[in-house]
Coordinates of all heavy atoms in Angstrom, one line a residue:
M1 N 159.6 -323.5 52.2 CA 158.7 -322.7 51.4 C 158.1 -321.6 52.3 O 157.1 -321.7 52.7 CB 157.6 -323.5 50.9 CG 156.7 -322.9 49.9 SD 155.3 -323.9 49.3 CE 155.8 -324.9 48.1
P2 N 159.0 -320.8 52.6 CA 158.5 -319.7 53.6 C 157.5 -318.8 53.2 O 156.6 -318.4 54.1 CB 159.8 -318.9 54.0 CG 161.0 -319.8 53.4 CD 160.3 -320.5 52.4
I3 N 157.5 -318.3 52.0 CA 156.2 -317.3 51.5 C 155.8 -317.9 50.2 O 156.6 -318.2 49.2 CB 156.9 -315.9 51.4 CG1 157.4 -315.3 52.7 CG2 156.0 -314.9 50.7 CD1 158.1 -314.1 52.5
T4 N 154.5 -318.0 50.2 CA 153.8 -318.4 48.9 C 152.9 -317.2 48.4 O 152.3 -316.5 49.4 CB 153.1 -319.5 49.1 OG1 152.2 -319.5 50.1 CG2 154.0 -320.8 49.3
K5 N 152.8 -317.0 47.2 CA 151.9 -315.8 46.8 C 151.0 -316.4 45.8 O 151.3 -317.1 44.9 CB 152.8 -314.8 46.0 CG 154.1 -314.2 46.7 CD 154.8 -313.4 45.7 CE 156.1 -312.9 46.6 NZ 157.0 -312.1 45.7
Q6 N 149.7 -316.1 45.9 CA 148.5 -316.5 45.1 C 147.7 -315.3 44.7 O 147.0 -314.5 45.5 CB 147.6 -317.3 45.9 CG 146.5 -317.9 45.1 CD 145.5 -318.8 45.9 OE1 145.6 -319.1 47.1 NE2 144.5 -319.3 45.3
F7 N 148.1 -314.7 43.5 CA 147.3 -313.5 42.9 C 145.9 -313.8 42.7 O 145.6 -314.8 42.0 CB 148.2 -313.1 41.7 CG 149.5 -312.5 41.9 CD1 150.6 -313.5 42.0 CD2 149.7 -311.2 42.4 CE1 151.9 -313.0 42.4 CE2 151.0 -310.8 42.7 CZ 152.1 -311.7 42.6
L8 N 145.0 -312.9 43.3 CA 143.7 -313.1 43.0 C 143.2 -312.6 41.8 O 143.6 -311.5 41.4 CB 142.9 -312.5 44.3 CG 143.4 -312.8 45.6 CD1 142.5 -312.1 46.8 CD2 143.2 -314.3 45.9
K9 N 142.3 -313.3 41.1 CA 141.8 -312.8 40.0 C 140.6 -311.8 40.0 O 140.4 -310.9 39.3 CB 141.2 -314.0 39.1 CG 142.3 -314.9 38.7 CD 141.7 -316.1 37.9 CE 142.9 -317.1 37.4 NZ 142.3 -318.4 36.8
S10 N 139.9 -311.9 41.1 CA 138.8 -311.1 41.4 C 139.0 -309.7 41.9 O 138.2 -308.7 41.7 CB 138.0 -311.7 42.5 OG 138.5 -311.9 43.6
K11 N 140.2 -309.4 42.3 CA 140.5 -308.1 42.9 C 142.2 -308.0 42.8 O 142.8 -308.9 42.8 CB 140.1 -307.8 44.3 CG 140.2 -308.8 45.2 CD 139.4 -308.6 46.6 CE 139.3 -309.7 47.4 NZ 138.4 -309.5 48.7
P12 N 142.6 -306.7 42.9 CA 144.1 -306.4 42.8 C 144.8 -306.7 44.1 O 145.3 -305.8 44.7 CB 144.2 -305.0 42.4 CG 142.9 -304.3 43.0 CD 141.8 -305.4 42.8
E13 N 144.7 -307.9 44.5 CA 145.4 -308.3 45.8 C 146.0 -309.6 45.7 O 145.8 -310.5 44.7 CB 144.4 -308.6 46.9 CG 143.7 -307.4 47.5 CD 142.7 -307.5 48.6 OE1 142.2 -308.6 48.8 OE2 142.3 -306.4 49.2
C14 N 146.9 -310.0 46.4 CA 147.6 -311.3 46.5 C 147.5 -311.9 47.9 O 147.7 -311.2 48.9 CB 149.2 -310.9 46.2 SG 150.1 -312.6 46.2
K15 N 147.1 -313.1 47.9 CA 147.0 -313.8 49.2 C 148.6 -314.4 49.5 O 149.1 -315.2 48.7 CB 146.0 -315.0 49.0 CG 146.0 -315.8 50.4 CD 145.1 -316.9 50.3 CE 145.1 -317.8 51.5 NZ 144.1 -318.9 51.6
V16 N 149.1 -313.8 50.5 CA 150.5 -314.2 50.8 C 150.4 -314.9 52.1 O 149.9 -314.7 53.1 CB 151.4 -312.8 51.0 CG1 152.8 -313.3 51.5 CG2 151.4 -312.0 49.8
T17 N 150.9 -316.1 52.0 CA 151.1 -317.1 53.1 C 152.6 -317.1 53.6 O 153.5 -317.4 52.9 CB 150.7 -318.5 52.7 OG1 149.4 -318.4 52.2 CG2 150.7 -319.5 53.9
F18 N 152.7 -316.8 55.0 CA 154.0 -316.6 55.6 C 154.0 -318.0 56.4 O 153.1 -318.3 57.3 CB 154.0 -315.6 56.6 CG 153.8 -314.1 55.9 CD1 152.6 -313.6 55.7 CD2 155.0 -313.5 55.4 CE1 152.5 -312.3 55.1 CE2 154.9 -312.2 54.7 CZ 153.6 -311.7 54.6
T19 N 155.1 -318.7 56.3 CA 155.5 -320.0 57.0 C 156.9 -319.8 57.6 O 157.9 -319.5 56.9 CB 155.4 -321.2 56.1 OG1 154.2 -321.1 55.5 CG2 155.5 -322.4 56.8
V20 N 156.9 -320.1 58.9 CA 158.1 -320.0 59.6 C 158.4 -321.3 60.5 O 157.5 -321.6 61.1 CB 158.1 -318.8 60.6 CG1 159.5 -318.7 61.4 CG2 157.9 -317.5 59.9
L21 N 159.4 -322.0 60.2 CA 159.7 -323.1 61.0 C 160.6 -322.8 62.1 O 161.8 -322.5 61.8 CB 160.3 -324.3 60.1 CG 160.7 -325.5 60.8 CD1 159.5 -326.2 61.4 CD2 161.3 -326.5 59.7
D22 N 160.0 -322.8 63.4 CA 160.9 -322.5 64.5 C 160.3 -323.3 65.7 O 159.4 -322.8 66.3 CB 161.0 -321.0 64.9 CG 161.9 -320.7 65.9 OD1 162.2 -321.6 66.9 OD2 162.3 -319.5 66.0
T23 N 160.7 -324.6 65.8 CA 160.0 -325.4 66.8 C 160.3 -324.9 68.3 O 159.6 -325.3 69.2 CB 160.7 -326.8 66.7 OG1 162.1 -326.8 66.8 CG2 160.2 -327.4 65.4
E24 N 161.2 -324.0 68.4 CA 161.6 -323.5 69.7 C 160.8 -322.3 70.2 O 160.7 -321.9 71.4 CB 163.1 -323.2 69.8 CG 164.0 -324.3 69.6 CD 163.9 -325.4 70.6 OE1 163.7 -325.2 71.7 OE2 163.8 -326.7 70.2
A25 N 160.1 -321.7 69.2 CA 159.4 -320.4 69.6 C 158.1 -320.7 70.1 O 157.5 -321.6 69.9 CB 159.1 -319.6 68.3
N26 N 157.6 -319.7 71.1 CA 156.3 -319.8 71.6 C 155.3 -319.0 70.9 O 154.1 -319.4 70.7 CB 156.3 -319.2 73.0 CG 157.1 -320.0 73.8 OD1 156.9 -321.2 74.0 ND2 157.9 -319.4 74.7
S27 N 155.6 -317.9 70.2 CA 154.9 -317.2 69.2 C 155.6 -316.4 68.1 O 156.7 -315.9 68.4 CB 153.9 -316.0 70.0 OG 154.9 -315.0 70.6
I28 N 155.0 -316.3 67.0 CA 155.6 -315.6 65.8 C 154.5 -314.8 65.2 O 153.3 -315.2 65.0 CB 156.3 -316.7 64.9 CG1 157.2 -317.3 65.5 CG2 156.7 -315.8 63.6 CD1 158.1 -318.3 64.5
A29 N 154.8 -313.6 64.8 CA 153.9 -312.7 64.3 C 154.6 -312.0 63.1 O 156.0 -312.0 63.0 CB 153.4 -311.5 65.1
V30 N 153.9 -311.5 62.1 CA 154.5 -310.8 61.0 C 153.9 -309.4 60.9 O 152.7 -309.1 61.3 CB 154.2 -311.5 59.5 CG1 152.7 -311.5 59.3 CG2 155.0 -310.8 58.5
A31 N 154.8 -308.4 60.7 CA 154.3 -306.9 60.6 C 155.1 -306.2 59.6 O 156.3 -306.6 59.3 CB 154.6 -306.2 62.0
G32 N 154.4 -305.3 59.0 CA 155.1 -304.6 57.8 C 154.3 -303.3 57.3 O 153.2 -303.1 57.9
D33 N 154.9 -302.9 56.2 CA 154.1 -301.7 55.7 C 152.7 -302.2 55.2 O 151.8 -301.2 55.2 CB 154.8 -301.3 54.2 CG 156.2 -300.6 54.6 OD1 156.3 -300.2 55.7 OD2 157.0 -300.6 53.7
F34 N 152.5 -303.3 54.9 CA 151.1 -303.8 54.4 C 150.1 -303.7 55.5 O 148.9 -303.9 55.3 CB 151.2 -305.2 53.8 CG 152.0 -306.2 54.6 CD1 151.5 -306.8 55.7 CD2 153.3 -306.5 54.2 CE1 152.2 -307.7 56.3 CE2 154.1 -307.4 54.9 CZ 153.4 -308.0 56.0
N35 N 150.5 -303.8 56.7 CA 149.5 -303.8 57.8 C 149.8 -302.7 58.9 O 149.5 -302.8 60.1 CB 149.1 -305.1 58.6 CG 150.5 -305.6 59.2 OD1 151.5 -305.0 59.1 ND2 150.4 -306.8 59.9
D36 N 150.5 -301.6 58.6 CA 150.8 -300.5 59.4 C 151.7 -301.0 60.6 O 151.6 -300.4 61.6 CB 149.7 -299.7 59.8 CG 148.9 -299.0 58.8 OD1 149.6 -298.6 57.8 OD2 147.7 -298.8 58.7
W37 N 152.5 -302.0 60.4 CA 153.4 -302.6 61.2 C 152.6 -303.1 62.6 O 153.3 -303.2 63.7 CB 154.5 -301.6 61.7 CG 155.2 -301.4 60.6 CD1 155.3 -300.5 59.6 CD2 156.6 -302.3 60.2 NE1 156.4 -300.7 58.6 CE2 157.1 -301.8 59.0 CE3 157.2 -303.4 60.8 CZ2 158.2 -302.5 58.5 CZ3 158.3 -304.0 60.3 CH2 158.8 -303.6 59.0
E38 N 151.4 -303.4 62.5 CA 150.7 -304.1 63.5 C 150.9 -305.6 63.4 O 150.7 -306.2 62.3 CB 149.2 -303.9 63.4 CG 148.7 -302.4 63.6 CD 148.9 -302.0 65.0 OE1 148.7 -302.8 65.9 OE2 149.3 -300.7 65.1
K39 N 151.2 -306.2 64.6 CA 151.6 -307.7 64.4 C 150.4 -308.6 64.2 O 149.5 -308.4 64.8 CB 152.3 -308.0 65.8 CG 153.6 -307.4 66.0 CD 154.2 -307.8 67.4 CE 155.5 -307.1 67.7 NZ 156.0 -307.5 69.0
A40 N 150.5 -309.3 63.1 CA 149.6 -310.3 62.8 C 150.1 -311.7 63.2 O 151.0 -312.1 62.7 CB 149.2 -310.3 61.4
E41 N 149.5 -312.3 64.3 CA 150.0 -313.5 64.9 C 149.8 -314.7 63.8 O 148.8 -314.8 63.1 CB 149.2 -314.1 66.1 CG 149.4 -313.0 67.2 CD 150.9 -313.1 67.8 OE1 151.4 -314.2 67.7 OE2 151.3 -312.1 68.3
L42 N 150.9 -315.6 63.7 CA 150.9 -316.7 62.9 C 150.5 -317.8 63.7 O 150.7 -318.0 65.0 CB 152.3 -317.0 62.3 CG 152.9 -315.8 61.5 CD1 154.1 -316.2 60.9 CD2 151.8 -315.5 60.3
K43 N 149.6 -318.9 63.2 CA 149.3 -320.0 64.0 C 150.3 -321.1 64.1 O 150.8 -321.4 63.0 CB 148.0 -320.5 63.2 CG 147.3 -321.7 64.0 CD 146.0 -322.1 63.4 CE 145.5 -323.3 64.1 NZ 144.3 -323.9 63.6
K44 N 150.4 -321.6 65.2 CA 151.5 -322.7 65.5 C 150.8 -324.1 65.1 O 149.7 -324.4 65.5 CB 152.0 -322.8 66.9 CG 153.1 -323.8 67.0 CD 153.7 -323.7 68.4 CE 155.0 -324.6 68.5 NZ 155.7 -324.3 69.6
L45 N 151.4 -324.7 64.2 CA 151.0 -326.1 63.7 C 151.6 -327.2 64.5 O 152.6 -326.9 65.2 CB 151.3 -326.1 62.2 CG 150.7 -325.0 61.2 CD1 151.2 -325.2 59.8 CD2 149.3 -324.9 61.3
K46 N 151.1 -328.4 64.3 CA 151.5 -329.5 65.1 C 152.9 -329.8 64.7 O 153.7 -330.4 65.6 CB 150.7 -330.7 64.7 CG 149.2 -330.6 65.2 CD 148.5 -331.8 64.8 CE 147.0 -331.8 65.4 NZ 146.2 -332.9 65.1
N47 N 153.4 -329.5 63.4 CA 154.9 -329.9 63.2 C 155.9 -328.8 63.7 O 157.2 -329.0 63.5 CB 155.0 -330.0 61.6 CG 154.9 -328.7 60.9 OD1 154.5 -327.7 61.4 ND2 154.8 -328.8 59.5
G48 N 155.4 -327.8 64.5 CA 156.2 -326.8 65.1 C 156.3 -325.6 64.2 O 156.9 -324.7 64.7
S49 N 155.9 -325.6 62.9 CA 156.0 -324.4 62.2 C 154.8 -323.3 62.4 O 153.8 -323.9 63.2 CB 155.9 -324.7 60.6 OG 154.7 -325.2 60.3
F50 N 155.0 -322.2 62.1 CA 153.9 -321.1 62.2 C 153.5 -320.6 60.9 O 154.3 -320.6 60.0 CB 154.5 -320.0 63.1 CG 154.8 -320.3 64.6 CD1 155.9 -321.0 64.8 CD2 153.9 -319.8 65.6 CE1 156.2 -321.2 66.2 CE2 154.2 -320.1 66.8 CZ 155.2 -320.9 67.2
K51 N 152.2 -320.5 60.7 CA 151.6 -320.0 59.4 C 150.5 -319.2 59.6 O 149.7 -319.2 60.4 CB 151.2 -321.5 58.7 CG 150.9 -321.3 57.3 CD 150.5 -322.7 56.6 CE 150.5 -322.7 55.2 NZ 150.3 -324.0 54.7
G52 N 150.5 -318.3 58.5 CA 149.3 -317.3 58.4 C 149.3 -316.7 57.1 O 150.3 -316.6 56.3
A53 N 148.0 -316.2 56.7 CA 148.0 -315.7 55.3 C 147.3 -314.3 55.5 O 146.5 -314.1 56.4 CB 147.1 -316.5 54.5
L54 N 147.6 -313.3 54.5 CA 147.2 -312.0 54.5 C 146.8 -311.7 53.1 O 147.7 -312.0 52.2 CB 148.1 -311.0 55.0 CG 148.5 -311.1 56.5 CD1 149.6 -310.2 56.9 CD2 147.4 -310.7 57.3
N55 N 145.8 -310.9 52.8 CA 145.7 -310.3 51.4 C 146.2 -309.0 51.4 O 145.8 -308.2 52.3 CB 144.1 -310.3 51.2 CG 143.5 -311.6 50.8 OD1 144.2 -312.7 50.9 ND2 142.3 -311.7 50.6
I56 N 147.1 -308.9 50.4 CA 147.9 -307.6 50.4 C 147.7 -307.0 48.9 O 147.8 -307.8 47.9 CB 149.5 -308.0 50.8 CG1 149.5 -308.6 52.0 CG2 150.2 -306.8 50.6 CD1 150.9 -309.1 52.4
P57 N 147.5 -305.8 48.9 CA 147.4 -305.1 47.6 C 148.7 -305.3 46.7 O 149.8 -305.4 47.1 CB 147.2 -303.6 47.8 CG 146.7 -303.6 49.3 CD 147.4 -304.8 50.0
V58 N 148.4 -305.5 45.4 CA 149.5 -305.8 44.4 C 150.1 -304.4 43.9 O 149.8 -303.4 44.2 CB 149.1 -306.6 43.3 CG1 148.6 -308.0 43.8 CG2 148.0 -306.0 42.5
D59 N 151.2 -304.6 43.1 CA 151.9 -303.7 42.3 C 152.5 -302.7 43.3 O 152.6 -301.4 43.1 CB 150.9 -302.7 41.5 CG 150.2 -303.5 40.4 OD1 151.1 -304.4 39.8 OD2 149.2 -303.3 39.9
S60 N 153.2 -303.3 44.3 CA 154.0 -302.5 45.2 C 155.0 -303.4 45.9 O 154.9 -304.6 45.8 CB 153.1 -301.8 46.3 OG 153.9 -300.9 47.0
S61 N 155.9 -302.8 46.7 CA 156.9 -303.4 47.5 C 156.7 -303.1 49.0 O 156.3 -301.9 49.2 CB 158.3 -303.4 47.1 OG 158.6 -303.8 45.9
Y62 N 156.8 -304.1 49.8 CA 156.5 -303.8 51.3 C 157.6 -304.3 52.1 O 158.1 -305.4 51.9 CB 155.3 -304.6 51.7 CG 154.0 -304.2 50.9 CD1 153.7 -304.9 49.8 CD2 153.3 -303.0 51.3 CE1 152.5 -304.6 49.0 CE2 152.0 -302.8 50.5 CZ 151.8 -303.5 49.4 OH 150.6 -303.2 48.6
E63 N 158.1 -303.4 53.1 CA 159.1 -303.9 54.1 C 158.3 -304.6 55.2 O 157.2 -304.3 55.6 CB 159.8 -302.7 54.6 CG 160.6 -301.9 53.7 CD 161.4 -300.8 54.4 OE1 161.9 -300.9 55.4 OE2 161.5 -299.8 53.6
F64 N 159.0 -305.6 55.7 CA 158.4 -306.5 56.8 C 159.4 -307.2 57.6 O 160.5 -307.3 57.1 CB 157.3 -307.5 56.2 CG 157.9 -308.6 55.6 CD1 157.9 -310.0 56.3 CD2 158.3 -308.6 54.2 CE1 158.5 -311.0 55.6 CE2 158.9 -309.7 53.7 CZ 159.0 -310.9 54.3
K65 N 158.9 -307.6 58.8 CA 159.7 -308.5 59.6 C 158.8 -309.5 60.3 O 157.7 -309.3 60.5 CB 160.5 -307.7 60.6 CG 161.8 -307.0 60.0 CD 162.5 -306.3 61.2 CE 164.0 -305.7 60.8 NZ 165.0 -306.7 60.9
Y66 N 159.5 -310.6 61.0 CA 158.8 -311.4 61.8 C 159.1 -310.9 63.2 O 160.3 -310.6 63.5 CB 159.3 -312.9 61.7 CG 158.9 -313.4 60.4 CD1 160.0 -313.9 59.4 CD2 157.5 -313.6 59.9 CE1 159.6 -314.4 58.2 CE2 157.2 -314.0 58.7 CZ 158.3 -314.6 57.9 OH 157.9 -315.0 56.6
S67 N 158.2 -311.1 64.2 CA 158.5 -311.0 65.7 C 158.4 -312.4 66.2 O 157.3 -312.9 66.4 CB 157.4 -310.1 66.3 OG 157.6 -310.1 67.6
V68 N 159.6 -312.9 66.5 CA 159.7 -314.1 67.1 C 160.0 -314.1 68.6 O 161.0 -313.7 69.1 CB 160.9 -315.0 66.5 CG1 161.0 -316.3 67.0 CG2 160.6 -315.1 64.9
D69 N 159.0 -314.4 69.4 CA 159.0 -314.2 70.9 C 159.4 -312.8 71.2 O 160.3 -312.6 72.1 CB 159.9 -315.3 71.4 CG 159.3 -316.7 71.6 OD1 158.0 -316.9 71.3 OD2 160.2 -317.6 71.6
G70 N 159.0 -311.9 70.5 CA 159.3 -310.4 70.8 C 160.6 -309.9 70.0 O 160.9 -308.7 70.2
K71 N 161.3 -310.8 69.5 CA 162.6 -310.4 68.8 C 162.3 -310.3 67.3 O 162.0 -311.1 66.8 CB 163.7 -311.3 69.1 CG 165.0 -311.0 68.6 CD 166.2 -311.9 68.9 CE 167.3 -311.5 68.3 NZ 168.5 -312.6 68.4
W72 N 162.7 -309.2 66.7 CA 162.5 -308.9 65.4 C 163.6 -309.8 64.5 O 164.7 -309.7 64.8 CB 162.7 -307.4 65.0 CG 161.5 -306.6 65.5 CD1 161.6 -305.8 66.5 CD2 160.2 -306.5 64.8 NE1 160.3 -305.2 66.7 CE2 159.4 -305.6 65.8 CE3 159.5 -307.2 64.0 CZ2 158.0 -305.4 65.6 CZ3 158.2 -307.0 63.9 CH2 157.5 -306.2 64.6
M73 N 163.1 -310.5 63.4 CA 163.8 -311.3 62.6 C 163.4 -311.1 61.1 O 162.3 -310.8 60.8 CB 163.7 -312.7 62.9 CG 163.8 -313.1 64.3 SD 165.4 -313.2 64.9 CE 165.9 -314.8 64.1
N74 N 164.5 -311.1 60.3 CA 164.1 -311.1 58.7 C 163.7 -312.5 58.2 O 164.1 -313.6 58.8 CB 165.3 -310.6 58.0 CG 165.5 -309.0 58.0 OD1 164.4 -308.3 58.0 ND2 166.5 -308.5 58.1
E75 N 163.1 -312.5 57.0 CA 162.9 -313.7 56.3 C 164.1 -313.8 55.4 O 164.3 -313.1 54.6 CB 161.6 -313.4 55.6 CG 161.3 -314.4 54.4 CD 161.3 -315.8 54.9 OE1 160.3 -316.2 55.6 OE2 162.3 -316.6 54.7
P76 N 164.8 -314.9 55.7 CA 166.0 -315.2 54.8 C 165.8 -315.3 53.3 O 166.7 -315.1 52.5 CB 166.6 -316.5 55.4 CG 165.7 -316.9 56.5 CD 164.6 -316.0 56.6
E77 N 164.7 -315.7 53.0 CA 164.3 -315.8 51.5 C 163.4 -314.9 51.1 O 162.5 -315.1 50.2 CB 163.5 -317.3 51.3 CG 164.7 -318.5 51.6 CD 164.0 -319.8 51.5 OE1 163.3 -319.9 50.4 OE2 164.4 -320.7 52.1
A78 N 163.5 -313.7 51.6 CA 162.7 -312.4 51.1 C 163.0 -312.1 49.8 O 164.2 -312.6 49.2 CB 162.9 -311.2 52.1
D79 N 162.3 -311.5 49.0 CA 162.4 -311.0 47.5 C 163.7 -310.1 47.6 O 164.5 -310.2 46.6 CB 161.4 -310.2 47.0 CG 160.1 -311.2 46.9 OD1 160.3 -312.4 46.7 OD2 158.9 -310.7 47.0
S80 N 163.9 -309.3 48.6 CA 165.1 -308.4 48.6 C 165.3 -307.9 50.1 O 164.4 -308.3 51.0 CB 165.1 -307.4 47.7 OG 164.1 -306.5 47.9
F81 N 166.2 -307.1 50.4 CA 166.3 -306.5 51.8 C 166.5 -305.0 51.6 O 167.2 -304.6 50.5 CB 167.5 -307.1 52.5 CG 167.3 -308.5 52.8 CD1 167.7 -309.5 51.8 CD2 166.6 -308.9 53.9 CE1 167.5 -310.7 52.1 CE2 166.3 -310.4 54.1 CZ 166.8 -311.3 53.2
K82 N 166.1 -304.1 52.5 CA 166.3 -302.7 52.3 C 166.6 -302.1 53.6 O 166.1 -302.5 54.8 CB 164.9 -302.0 52.0 CG 165.0 -300.6 51.7 CD 163.6 -300.2 51.1 CE 163.8 -298.6 50.9 NZ 162.4 -298.0 50.5
W83 N 167.6 -301.2 53.8 CA 168.1 -300.5 54.9 C 166.9 -299.6 55.5 O 166.3 -298.9 54.6 CB 169.3 -299.8 54.8 CG 169.6 -299.1 56.0 CD1 169.6 -297.8 56.4 CD2 170.4 -299.7 57.2 NE1 170.0 -297.6 57.6 CE2 170.6 -298.7 58.2 CE3 170.8 -300.9 57.5 CZ2 171.1 -299.0 59.3 CZ3 171.4 -301.2 58.7 CH2 171.6 -300.3 59.7
N84 N 166.6 -299.6 56.7 CA 165.5 -298.8 57.3 C 166.1 -298.0 58.3 O 166.7 -298.4 59.4 CB 164.5 -299.6 57.9 CG 163.3 -298.8 58.4 OD1 163.4 -298.0 59.3 ND2 162.2 -298.9 57.8
D85 N 166.3 -296.7 58.1 CA 166.9 -295.7 59.0 C 166.3 -295.6 60.3 O 166.9 -295.7 61.5 CB 167.0 -294.3 58.5 CG 168.2 -294.2 57.4 OD1 169.1 -295.0 57.4 OD2 168.1 -293.4 56.5
F86 N 164.9 -295.6 60.3 CA 164.2 -295.6 61.7 C 164.5 -296.9 62.6 O 164.6 -296.7 63.7 CB 162.7 -295.7 61.4 CG 161.7 -295.6 62.5 CD1 161.6 -294.4 63.2 CD2 161.1 -296.7 63.0 CE1 160.8 -294.4 64.4 CE2 160.3 -296.8 64.1 CZ 160.1 -295.6 64.8
A87 N 164.6 -298.0 61.9 CA 164.9 -299.3 62.7 C 166.4 -299.4 63.0 O 166.9 -300.1 63.8 CB 164.4 -300.5 62.0
G88 N 167.3 -298.7 62.1 CA 168.6 -299.0 62.2 C 169.1 -300.4 61.8 O 170.1 -300.8 62.4
A89 N 168.2 -300.8 60.9 CA 168.6 -302.4 60.5 C 168.1 -302.5 59.2 O 167.1 -301.7 58.6 CB 168.0 -303.4 61.6
E90 N 168.4 -303.7 58.6 CA 167.7 -304.1 57.3 C 166.3 -304.8 57.7 O 166.2 -305.4 58.5 CB 168.6 -305.0 56.6 CG 169.6 -304.5 55.6 CD 170.3 -305.6 54.7 OE1 170.2 -306.8 55.1 OE2 170.7 -305.2 53.7
N91 N 165.5 -304.5 56.5 CA 164.2 -305.2 56.7 C 164.0 -306.1 55.4 O 164.6 -305.8 54.4 CB 163.0 -304.0 56.6 CG 162.8 -303.4 57.9 OD1 163.2 -303.9 59.0 ND2 162.1 -302.3 57.8
S92 N 163.1 -307.0 55.7 CA 162.9 -308.0 54.5 C 161.9 -307.2 53.5 O 161.1 -306.4 54.0 CB 162.1 -309.3 54.9 OG 162.8 -309.9 55.8
V93 N 162.1 -307.4 52.2 CA 161.1 -306.9 51.3 C 160.2 -307.8 50.5 O 160.8 -308.9 50.1 CB 161.9 -306.0 50.2 CG1 161.1 -305.4 49.3 CG2 162.7 -304.8 51.0
L94 N 159.0 -307.6 50.5 CA 158.0 -308.4 49.7 C 157.6 -307.6 48.5 O 157.1 -306.6 48.6 CB 156.8 -308.8 50.6 CG 155.6 -309.5 50.0 CD1 156.0 -311.0 49.7 CD2 154.6 -309.5 51.0
S95 N 157.8 -308.2 47.3 CA 157.5 -307.5 46.1 C 156.2 -308.3 45.5 O 156.2 -309.5 45.2 CB 158.6 -307.5 45.2 OG 159.8 -307.0 45.7
L96 N 155.2 -307.4 45.3 CA 153.9 -308.0 44.7 C 153.6 -307.3 43.3 O 153.9 -306.1 43.1 CB 152.9 -308.0 45.6 CG 153.0 -308.5 46.9 CD1 151.8 -308.4 47.7 CD2 153.1 -310.2 46.7

């Protein structure tokens, strides 16, 4: 269950929880259009997974990636993928 979405009734936002299971990683962050590509660190849990939540505006799609020990990685179960000329690679897409 890598990404869960909880749409908020009180405002046009969705609480998106990012979960990455990588027991070998030291640090994982998520960055994308929703936070101006500023890395938001995920917290390492006892079971070795990393988890974090962000409130993101709805009615849009956002490109994003994970930074795993400084190396950019896609979410395999993203809503879709989109080529990004600036990065020269595909990005994960989150649709809300």
Side-chain angles (χ1 to χ4, degrees):
M1 188 186 281
I3 296 177
T4 56
K5 302 173 187 177
Q6 180 183 1
F7 291 89
L8 305 180
K9 294 178 182 176
S10 60
K11 48 188 162 181
E13 292 182 344
C14 180
K15 180 180 178 182
V16 180
T17 302
F18 299 91
T19 305
V20 180
L21 179 59
D22 188 338
T23 57
E24 302 298 315
N26 293 313
S27 69
I28 298 180
V30 63
D33 293 337
F34 47 78
N35 65 356
D36 294 324
W37 291 93
E38 292 292 325
K39 294 179 184 175
E41 292 292 326
L42 304 183
K43 182 180 178 182
K44 188 167 189 172
L45 305 178
K46 290 180 183 179
N47 67 0
S49 66
F50 290 78
K51 191 173 189 175
L54 297 171
N55 285 0
I56 301 173
V58 297
D59 297 328
S60 192
S61 292
Y62 302 93
E63 293 182 40
F64 75 99
K65 281 189 178 271
Y66 296 119
S67 174
V68 180
D69 291 336
K71 183 179 175 186
W72 291 107
M73 309 282 287
N74 277 321
E75 166 57 66
E77 296 182 32
D79 294 327
S80 62
F81 298 91
K82 183 177 178 184
W83 181 260
N84 183 294
D85 286 332
F86 179 76
E90 270 190 337
N91 285 340
S92 303
V93 174
L94 175 68
S95 298
L96 300 176

